[in-house]
Amino acid sequence: MTTTDKHTAMITGLRELATFLEANPELPIPYEVSALCFPARGADAEMTAEVDRIATLLGAEVDAEDASYGHYRTGINFGPVRYGALAVLAHRRARYDAETSYVGCVEPDSAHAA
């Protein structure tokens, strides 16, 4: 699928969602809707440059508070709808990989399970 096709498909899907919600007022409305872009995985400098580029296009700032979590993020809100971009930096990806490296390797003794 080309970038143009993806762009068109996203816009069509958002319009279809709006039409669907409008036609079904008995449905609960989500707390928020988020359209989040991730730059291609690469060196931190490349990923943050892409987020910076998106921030410029949006006329938005990069969220400095997320840096302590290893995230480099920007975005803008349209009421409860958010469009944003997020780069997960290398040190955070490495930490996540380390934290999840034993997933599935240790099983609790079923005799002691509640």
Side-chain angles (χ1 to χ4, degrees):
M1 184 179 281
T2 69
T3 301
T4 301
D5 292 341
K6 290 178 184 178
H7 192 91
T8 300
M10 177 62 72
I11 292 168
T12 300
L14 290 169
R15 287 184 177 138
E16 289 173 353
L17 173 61
T19 299
F20 180 78
L21 290 173
E22 191 172 54
N24 294 281
E26 70 281 0
L27 284 172
I29 295 298
Y31 173 74
E32 66 181 27
V33 174
S34 178
L36 188 58
C37 301
F38 294 91
R41 185 170 292 182
D44 285 353
E46 295 168 350
M47 294 170 53
T48 57
E50 177 63 2
V51 173
D52 288 340
R53 184 184 77 80
I54 293 168
T56 298
L57 293 169
L58 295 174
E61 300 291 324
V62 171
D63 186 352
E65 290 183 23
D66 281 350
S68 63
Y69 300 105
H71 295 162
Y72 196 77
R73 177 190 306 258
T74 190
I76 59 173
N77 296 322
F78 302 90
V81 178
R82 180 164 181 81
Y83 179 94
L86 169 67
V88 180
L89 303 179
H91 74 275
R92 182 61 188 121
R93 292 191 315 266
R95 182 178 183 95
Y96 176 82
D97 289 345
E99 289 172 346
T100 60
S101 64
Y102 285 95
V103 170
C105 294
V106 178
E107 296 292 329
D109 182 357
S110 61
H112 299 288

